[in-house]
């Protein structure tokens, strides 16, 4: 089994480190020489999405009366230090654990767009993940939440460049290894709540280290996205859609991954556990419903369902806050597979 896993990892690495074709690089260099200064700033802004600033912990479990929590200190399988919280279920520790992964450029507490710049440069809204942890603990689940590398209070890696899963899967694998080696957590039934970059990362971890996740009961998978869908949507909004080769060129120059490498589609067939996916149907920042539906269709899960958030184009305000406002469907899904 170990030889098979290592071989598969090598094969995936060979695929994921292939770079731009000679023709695309030549086109990117030509675009770089011809582009206006204002449009080039937009292209750089698009590429720099993958080098995010750090969100801050603007809330803790104390804000919602979860007083028995503790700080935990973990690490990715490559040794990058990760800061997190362990929050026991209301009324005392239960036998059910949810591992909670956040999105980019957020952290375990959420996002502080209401604080002003630099946060409001993405969107001037608050995203509250701590209330979502409150819903989980009230329903009888222990929660392990942590900051992915280059986010929140966790360690730095890759010069601060995110792989939208291609690097961060190491954190998902490291946290699950921590759980498996823990004297109490290892005896608990485990579910995953893995959203956007955290979801892409989780898919990659499951694909690359399947033995770690064979005992996971189910996964809630909000807002997973392909970076090509993000870049196509944003470049159209900013009027620079003809410069996607240049965006990839800038990503490569900063030491990142190309947009087609940063996708959940490659690993989705290896995800076999029950999955509940959540997507904003008319998301103005992606190419939904096409991208989300493709990811859903590619999942290897026999038991899977998708919930489309309708009547809004707002990814940050209405997508990431969905569980906080409407916990019923998520809790019903978890209860079905965790009881």
């Amino acid at each position: 089994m170990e030889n098979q896993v290592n071989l598969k990892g090598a094969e995936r690495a060979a695929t994921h480190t292939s770079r731009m074709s000679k023709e695309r690089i030549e086109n990117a260099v030509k675009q770089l020489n011809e582009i206006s200064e204002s449009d080039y700033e937009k292209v750089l802004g698009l590429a720099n999405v993958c080098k995010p600033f750090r969100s801050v912990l603007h809330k803790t479990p104390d804000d919602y009366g979860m007083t028995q929590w503790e700080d935990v200190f973990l690490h990715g399988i490559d040794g990058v230090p990760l800061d997190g919280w362990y929050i026991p279920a209301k009324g005392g520790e239960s036998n059910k654990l949810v591992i909670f992964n956040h999105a980019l450029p957020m952290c375990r507490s959420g996002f502080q767009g209401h604080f002003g710049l630099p946060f409001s440069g993405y969107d001037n809204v608050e995203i509250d993940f701590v209330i979502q942890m409150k819903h989980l603990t009230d329903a009888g689940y222990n929660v392990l939440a942590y900051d992915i590398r280059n986010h929140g209070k966790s360690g730095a890696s890759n010069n601060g460049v995110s792989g939208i899963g291609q690097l961060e899967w190491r954190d998902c694998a490291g946290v699950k290894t921590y759980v498996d080696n823990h004297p109490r957590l290892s005896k608990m039934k485990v579910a995953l709540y893995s959203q956007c970059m955290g979801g892409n990362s989780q898919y990659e971890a499951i694909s690359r280290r399947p033995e770690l996740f064979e005992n996971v009961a189910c996964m809630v998978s909000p807002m997973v996205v392909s970076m090509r869908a993000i870049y196509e949507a944003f470049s159209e909004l900013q009027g620079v859609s003809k410069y996607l080769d240049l965006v990839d060129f800038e990503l490569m120059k900063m030491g990142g991954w190309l947009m087609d490498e940063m996708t959940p589609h490659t690993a989705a067939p290896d995800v076999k556990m029950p999955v509940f996916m959540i997507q904003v149907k008319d998301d103005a920042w992606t190419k939904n419903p096409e991208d989300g539906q493709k990811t859903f269709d590619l999942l290897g899960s026999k038991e899977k369902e998708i919930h489309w958030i309708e009547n809004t184009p707002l990814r940050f305000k209405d997508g990431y806050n969905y569980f906080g406002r409407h916990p019923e469907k998520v809790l019903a899904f978890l209860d079905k597979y965790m009881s």
Side-chain angles (χ1 to χ4, degrees):
M1 176 64 182
E2 184 62 28
N3 289 338
Q4 292 175 348
V5 170
N6 289 340
L7 177 61
K8 185 173 185 179
E11 290 171 346
R12 289 177 62 78
T15 300
H16 285 203
T17 54
S18 61
R19 311 319 294 159
M20 295 177 68
S21 67
K22 178 182 177 181
E23 292 75 19
R24 291 191 69 214
I25 291 176
E26 289 175 348
N27 187 51
V29 172
K30 180 182 177 183
Q31 290 179 336
L32 183 59
N33 290 328
E34 296 175 350
I35 193 170
S36 68
E37 184 176 340
S38 60
D39 280 350
Y40 186 51
E41 288 180 1
K42 295 175 183 178
V43 166
L44 289 178
L46 289 172
N48 282 328
V49 167
C50 290
K51 197 168 185 178
F53 57 80
R54 287 178 180 257
S55 292
V56 298
L57 298 182
H58 72 303
K59 290 185 175 180
T60 75
D62 286 327
D63 287 287
Y64 291 105
M66 297 177 282
T67 58
Q68 301 303 309
W69 63 279
E70 60 186 270
D71 290 314
V72 293
F73 307 102
L74 319 122
H75 55 80
I77 59 170
D78 57 353
V80 174
L82 309 172
D83 275 34
W85 295 324
Y86 174 67
I87 315 170
K90 182 178 181 180
E93 189 173 82
S94 71
N95 65 348
K96 299 182 292 186
L97 177 70
V98 174
I99 300 174
F100 193 101
N101 289 353
H102 65 79
L104 176 150
M106 303 164 203
C107 64
R108 73 192 106 140
S109 73
F111 181 73
Q112 309 81 43
H114 58 311
F115 279 15
L117 293 173
F119 312 104
S120 60
Y122 272 75
D123 203 340
N124 61 351
V125 299
E126 180 186 14
I127 296 169
D128 186 352
F129 291 151
V130 185
I131 188 63
Q132 300 179 15
M133 299 170 199
K134 171 67 169 171
H135 293 326
L136 290 168
T137 58
D138 281 353
Y141 295 97
N142 312 311
V143 174
L144 179 62
Y146 67 98
D147 296 331
I148 292 173
R149 67 185 61 203
N150 297 319
H151 292 76
K153 291 185 176 294
S154 287
S157 172
N158 198 39
N159 197 31
V161 177
S162 172
I164 318 294
Q166 300 307 308
L167 184 67
E168 297 80 3
W169 70 268
R170 303 172 191 178
D171 300 340
C172 297
V175 171
K176 183 55 165 58
T177 300
Y178 170 87
V179 168
D180 290 348
N181 292 329
H182 193 279
R184 301 193 323 278
L185 305 188
S186 61
K187 297 179 174 61
M188 297 177 185
K189 198 167 187 178
V190 176
L192 307 171
Y193 187 95
S194 304
Q195 54 196 317
C196 195
M197 174 193 66
N200 289 22
S201 307
Q202 195 71 70
Y203 288 17
E204 282 292 326
I206 291 167
S207 179
R208 293 170 182 263
R209 296 292 187 272
E211 71 283 358
L212 278 175
F213 300 94
E214 288 175 350
N215 65 342
V216 171
C218 61
M219 174 167 53
V220 181
S221 178
M223 314 298 289
V224 291
V225 66
S226 298
M227 286 308 291
R228 175 167 288 277
I230 291 279
Y231 283 132
E232 286 183 354
F234 268 95
S235 64
E236 288 175 9
L237 288 171
Q238 297 187 22
V240 291
S241 58
K242 67 180 180 180
Y243 294 118
L244 290 179
D245 281 351
L246 184 53
V247 173
D248 258 347
F249 190 55
E250 296 297 337
L251 286 166
M252 186 169 66
K253 284 163 59 179
M254 73 166 62
W257 281 258
L258 306 183
M259 63 182 73
D260 283 335
E261 295 170 341
M262 297 184 289
T263 176
H265 297 163
T266 308
D270 296 325
V271 176
K272 305 294 176 64
M273 65 193 65
V275 172
F276 179 49
M277 184 179 288
I278 301 167
Q279 293 279 351
V280 175
K281 187 173 184 179
D282 299 315
D283 191 337
W285 288 4
T286 72
K287 289 293 184 176
N288 269 354
E290 296 86 356
D291 185 62
Q293 186 67 52
K294 181 175 181 179
T295 304
F296 180 77
D297 292 342
L298 285 169
L299 286 169
S301 310
K302 292 181 180 178
E303 298 170 279
K304 57 184 178 179
E305 55 185 294
I306 187 168
H307 173 71
W308 292 105
I309 302 169
E310 300 194 31
N311 302 315
T312 177
L314 303 178
R315 182 177 184 85
F316 270 40
K317 180 180 179 182
D318 296 324
Y320 295 113
N321 282 319
Y322 173 79
F323 177 35
R325 299 170 181 167
H326 308 287
E328 299 82 10
K329 290 183 181 295
V330 171
L331 294 178
F333 173 81
L334 290 172
D335 290 345
K336 178 178 179 180
Y337 294 102
M338 293 285 282
S339 298

